[in-house]
Amino acid sequence: MITTFIGNLALSLLIYKNSLRYNINIGIFTFFVAIMSEVFLNSGLNLYYELLLLPSTFIPIHAIFPWILYFIDSIVMDNDNLIVKLLEIFASSLLLIIFIGSVLTLVLTTYVTIGIFFIGLLLSSNIQIKRKLILLAISLAVLVSLNIIPLLPSYFSAMTYFSSHVGGKYYVDALKAYIHSTNGSIFNVLTLTYLPSNAISLIPYYYIFTDTLFATVLVLPAISSNRSAPRIYYISLISFLLLAAWLAAPYLFPSYIKLYSSIPYLWSLDIPWLSFTYLLFVFISISLGIGLVSIKNKRIKIISLILLLFVIFTQIYPYYSGQLSSSRAWNPPNYLWKVSNIINDGPYKNPRILVFPTSGVYVAYNFSANNTYVGAGFWQTLFNGDVYASYFPYNCYSLEWFITIYPTLNLTSYIPLLNAAKLLGINYLIITKNIISKYFSPSNINYDEIYKLINVLPSNSVMYNNSQIIVYNFTSEAAAIAPNYFIFVNVSKPLWIPELPSYNITEFRILVSALNLSFINYSSAALISSNYEKEIIGSLHNYTVLYNSTNVFVIKLNYTPEIRIVKENPSIITIKIFNDKHNLPIIVLIRENYQPNINNYIRDQGNSKIIPAYSNESFIIISNSTVISINYSGKDPLQYILLIYFYLIIVIAFILGLIKNKVFRCRSIRSFNVSKLQGRSR
């Protein structure tokens, strides 16, 4: 509710400002249309669905994206001086970077949309061409300079990685599945609305009828006589049409999918509701709100209001008819909340959870009547802690990737998979029995394979079990241990090559053999690349060689100290080592991802050596200290930069508030007055 209010406040102000700017009467009709436009926005979106899946992404964008458009409108259209415009450019750029720059597909779509909106307003304004270029250059320079340190390098590296390591066919599979789920309705595609199957939708040509009404409401202000629609109406309408065309291309022209599969930077189309839904509805709402209030003819106003009410009725009817959960939309079953409560109320402060089975692109679940699938982010939102193998694991060297592809080989033993889970320190193992796999690869898991795994697991560790899901208390391993065993593996290539795609049989078999040794307790083991064998063994004093082959070498420490985690949360891990001083240095395995700058986070009383474990999914610390603290809060320069940006927005908002209320006193500042520029241009 708070998120919606913050975003809708910006939409309302946009309507209000443009009404004043174009001398449109502010009457009850204006307020009513503004409210109806916002109702359309929120009824057209299944907010419950989106906010439940990815709150870290959608709460910011719902609240902030309309304010970015509000500032862009002010930058181009308001009669403000250059200082004010510069502050607004900084404010909109900072909002864009902080609140939108988290999901790469969303970043791509949002930045393109913002560019269309900003350039469209610039081109439509009466500002001198020279001044337009100045505004454009300043805006681009500010956005790039603010982006270049914290986010721009990660954007480029991610795009390079996606294009070279992630097979296009997986995104194409996801897109085909989404197209299939819309049942070929272009109305559903463009509005992302899913209407119930009832008497209304059985009316002949119903979708053509609603399409026509929807288009009529949108373009009515542009075709009505005696019109005075603000420029932002046309820009919003054009932005919607261009964005809708980008989204609708695969649905209208299936041959476009071939183009899409060969151009990896069109990935934003793989999850349309993620990248497009909100942006489409915001521009529709702006077009409705600003366009309809600009109509002066009373008869057309009445007609437009009736049409608007009918379109809104088609949007919200599923909520009141009870058809929402049994139609295309997803309604989480009650047992998921029970599972969530069991895990979140458990003894582990930051539990590690493995969801099985996994799939190559998404984990798909039969949560609704027509096999709706839920993708990346779902389990992470439902549970507190680290969720493994619940989405596409891009690291093709990793144990998580091994867990993903191992069951597809139809092997008889699940022991290597379970040992890999122990190495990762998995606390809970969740098995879902309602997997949908026909659209996704490489996972070809079937019910028989699921029950093979169930038969291997001890029944006394079951915490919850029904026809759809089983929850096991798998291990009680903590985030840090003193390992008894070191397994050195000569695996230096991906286990699976996305571009082919095929398994790297040699590398895969080496890892299987390293994970299938009966004399190892994998819960207290560390899996290390052979490249670090000499370095680690050189730090040890008392060990025994248990196994030695060409590609796998295993040793066991004859003495390990007692360690205790005295403080653990997602940001801080403090480890105390109980040890007689004759057995230094001490080796501790940390079940956190290794980062090149990990030394910046570690604090101990002696000089420590950091060595990454296999595929960087954990790391070991070789230290002479009895207390080791890992503090992730505030150490990353990116965190400092984003924190500075956040406070900078507050300062800019305060300064803008002062200037806006005392602008008549700022005559000493060089004016960048739009009306004067318009006069010069004439």
Side-chain angles (χ1 to χ4, degrees):
M1 290 174 63
I2 295 173
T3 301
T4 302
F5 172 77
I6 294 172
N8 283 358
L9 181 61
L11 295 180
S12 299
L13 287 175
L14 265 178
I15 297 172
Y16 178 74
K17 280 182 60 176
N18 281 276
S19 299
L20 292 179
R21 186 184 292 153
Y22 288 86
N23 296 318
I24 298 171
N25 293 328
I26 306 296
I28 188 66
F29 179 78
T30 302
F31 288 103
F32 188 79
V33 168
I35 293 171
M36 286 298 99
S37 298
E38 291 160 9
V39 171
F40 178 89
L41 168 68
N42 293 296
S43 63
L45 294 168
N46 188 342
L47 288 180
Y48 178 72
Y49 174 50
E50 291 192 9
L51 295 179
L52 184 68
L53 280 181
L54 290 171
S56 60
T57 298
F58 283 101
I59 286 179
I61 192 174
H62 279 81
I64 300 304
F65 182 73
W67 285 101
I68 297 172
L69 299 182
Y70 175 84
F71 279 122
I72 291 175
D73 175 74
S74 298
I75 292 166
V76 178
M77 307 305 295
D78 281 356
N79 292 338
D80 292 323
N81 56 64
L82 184 58
I83 298 298
V84 173
K85 290 184 180 291
L86 188 60
L87 288 173
E88 290 173 337
I89 289 171
F90 268 98
S92 56
S93 300
L94 290 170
L95 289 174
L96 190 61
I97 292 168
I98 293 176
F99 294 103
I100 310 299
S102 57
V103 177
L104 204 54
T105 55
L106 188 60
V107 168
L108 177 66
T109 313
T110 306
Y111 274 61
V112 169
T113 305
I114 291 291
I116 293 171
F117 186 76
F118 182 55
I119 293 173
L121 277 183
L122 270 182
L123 292 176
S124 67
S125 68
N126 293 328
I127 303 175
Q128 281 184 335
I129 294 178
K130 180 180 178 181
R131 298 297 185 181
K132 290 180 181 180
L133 293 176
I134 291 174
L135 273 181
L136 182 61
I138 292 175
S139 302
L140 189 61
V142 168
L143 183 61
V144 172
S145 60
L146 291 175
N147 249 306
I148 198 164
I149 297 176
L151 296 175
L152 210 58
S154 64
Y155 292 162
F156 284 121
S157 62
M159 292 177 72
T160 303
Y161 188 87
F162 269 71
S163 63
S164 60
H165 290 78
V166 180
K169 83 184 197 69
Y170 298 106
Y171 293 104
V172 174
D173 286 344
L175 179 61
K176 288 178 178 177
Y178 198 93
I179 291 175
H180 180 269
S181 69
T182 62
N183 299 320
S185 168
I186 195 61
F187 177 81
N188 286 353
V189 173
L190 291 181
T191 63
L192 296 178
T193 307
Y194 306 96
L195 300 178
S197 298
N198 54 32
I200 292 180
S201 59
L202 295 177
I203 297 174
Y205 308 110
Y206 172 76
Y207 289 116
I208 297 177
F209 176 64
T210 52
D211 277 354
T212 304
L213 285 183
F214 181 69
T216 302
V217 174
L218 280 179
V219 303
L220 196 58
I223 62 176
S224 63
S225 59
N226 196 21
R227 60 186 179 273
S228 58
R231 292 186 180 91
I232 192 175
Y233 158 75
Y234 296 100
I235 302 305
S236 300
L237 182 60
I238 291 171
S239 299
F240 163 73
L241 293 175
L242 291 176
L243 201 60
W246 183 7
L247 169 62
Y251 301 83
L252 294 173
F253 309 104
S255 59
Y256 177 81
I257 296 179
K258 295 180 180 179
L259 176 66
Y260 169 75
S261 62
S262 61
I263 302 179
Y265 303 116
L266 292 178
W267 353 309
S268 56
L269 291 175
D270 71 326
I271 333 172
W273 60 265
L274 169 64
S275 303
F276 288 86
T277 308
Y278 187 69
L279 305 183
L280 283 173
F281 274 108
V282 166
F283 285 114
I284 293 172
S285 301
I286 293 175
S287 301
L288 289 173
I290 295 178
L292 294 183
V293 299
S294 66
I295 298 175
K296 295 182 178 180
N297 187 292
K298 291 185 178 180
R299 183 177 298 176
I300 297 180
K301 274 190 175 184
I302 295 173
I303 295 174
S304 66
L305 190 59
I306 294 172
L307 293 178
L308 176 60
L309 288 172
F310 185 82
V311 171
I312 291 176
F313 170 76
T314 64
Q315 297 276 34
I316 66 176
Y317 182 76
Y319 292 90
Y320 296 100
S321 67
Q323 295 289 327
L324 186 65
S325 61
S326 61
S327 181
R328 171 59 179 85
W330 170 72
N331 190 30
N334 289 332
Y335 68 80
L336 283 181
W337 303 120
K338 294 180 182 178
V339 171
S340 177
N341 291 334
I342 288 172
I343 291 179
N344 294 336
D345 296 338
Y348 310 107
K349 294 181 180 179
N350 191 39
R352 286 160 177 78
I353 306 152
L354 173 63
V355 180
F356 183 88
T358 62
S359 70
V361 181
Y362 297 101
V363 186
Y365 303 97
N366 189 7
F367 285 156
S368 64
N370 60 344
N371 297 343
T372 300
Y373 71 91
V374 179
F378 166 68
W379 292 110
Q380 285 88 341
T381 301
L382 195 65
F383 302 136
N384 298 322
D386 298 325
V387 182
Y388 289 83
S390 64
Y391 59 95
F392 189 95
Y394 301 114
N395 185 352
C396 299
Y397 300 82
S398 69
L399 289 175
E400 187 176 344
W401 183 249
F402 174 84
I403 290 172
T404 299
I405 63 177
Y406 182 84
T408 67
L409 301 182
N410 294 320
L411 301 176
T412 56
S413 173
Y414 271 82
I415 299 302
L417 184 148
L418 297 178
N419 287 336
K422 291 177 181 178
L423 285 170
L424 291 172
I426 299 299
N427 301 121
Y428 297 104
L429 177 58
I430 296 176
I431 298 180
T432 58
K433 307 174 188 176
N434 45 19
I435 188 73
I436 307 167
S437 59
K438 64 180 179 180
Y439 295 119
F440 305 99
S441 50
S443 182
N444 298 311
I445 296 169
N446 56 40
Y447 288 106
D448 291 337
E449 293 168 7
I450 291 174
Y451 286 108
K452 283 181 188 177
L453 180 57
I454 292 174
N455 291 331
V456 174
L457 294 167
S459 58
N460 60 357
S461 64
V462 173
M463 303 182 68
Y464 183 86
N465 186 9
N466 69 1
S467 61
Q468 303 296 320
I469 197 167
I470 305 179
V471 181
Y472 292 88
N473 189 355
F474 185 65
T475 70
S476 58
E477 294 300 330
I481 62 168
N484 288 95
Y485 302 89
F486 285 86
I487 309 167
F488 299 98
V489 291
N490 185 22
V491 178
S492 58
K493 297 177 182 178
L495 304 175
W496 180 81
I497 303 173
E499 291 84 356
L500 296 181
S502 64
Y503 298 110
N504 192 328
I505 298 299
T506 302
E507 307 284 321
F508 190 82
R509 285 178 176 169
I510 292 173
L511 193 55
V512 170
S513 64
L515 295 173
N516 200 27
L517 300 172
S518 59
F519 51 83
I520 294 178
N521 179 4
Y522 285 87
S523 291
S524 60
L527 187 68
I528 309 290
S529 170
S530 296
N531 296 331
Y532 299 101
E533 180 181 326
K534 292 182 179 179
E535 189 173 359
I536 292 177
I537 290 179
S539 302
L540 302 176
H541 301 291
N542 192 0
Y543 64 88
T544 301
V545 176
L546 297 182
Y547 183 80
N548 190 4
S549 68
T550 305
N551 295 301
V552 180
F553 180 58
V554 181
I555 62 173
K556 180 182 179 181
L557 301 188
N558 296 327
Y559 170 81
T560 55
E562 177 190 353
I563 74 168
R564 188 181 303 161
I565 299 177
V566 294
K567 187 175 184 180
E568 179 187 3
N569 60 48
S571 299
I572 301 174
I573 300 173
T574 302
I575 304 159
K576 188 173 182 180
I577 301 169
F578 299 88
N579 173 52
D580 60 17
K581 297 294 183 178
H582 302 291
N583 289 283
L584 297 175
I586 298 300
I587 296 181
V588 178
L589 173 70
I590 309 294
R591 291 190 174 109
E592 298 283 345
N593 286 333
Y594 172 80
Q595 304 171 30
N597 60 340
I598 195 67
N599 282 301
N600 297 332
Y601 304 101
I602 298 175
R603 192 170 45 195
D604 60 14
Q605 299 169 358
N607 295 323
S608 59
K609 182 186 296 184
I610 314 298
I611 297 177
Y614 173 76
S615 78
N616 296 344
E617 285 170 317
S618 56
F619 59 92
I620 64 173
I621 300 177
I622 304 176
S623 176
N624 293 314
S625 174
T626 56
V627 178
I628 300 173
S629 180
I630 306 173
N631 189 344
Y632 290 97
S633 59
K635 299 294 184 180
D636 189 351
L638 175 59
Q639 295 179 20
Y640 286 119
I641 292 172
L642 294 180
L643 190 63
I644 291 170
Y645 283 3
F646 181 79
Y647 287 115
L648 189 57
I649 288 176
I650 298 175
V651 173
I652 290 174
F654 179 74
I655 295 173
L656 279 173
L658 291 178
I659 295 178
K660 289 284 189 179
N661 286 282
K662 300 179 181 179
V663 67
F664 57 89
R665 298 181 184 178
C666 302
R667 298 182 185 278
S668 59
I669 301 176
R670 182 182 176 184
S671 177
F672 194 83
N673 191 286
V674 174
S675 60
K676 291 182 180 180
L677 293 172
Q678 292 174 352
R680 290 178 187 175
S681 65
R682 288 191 290 267

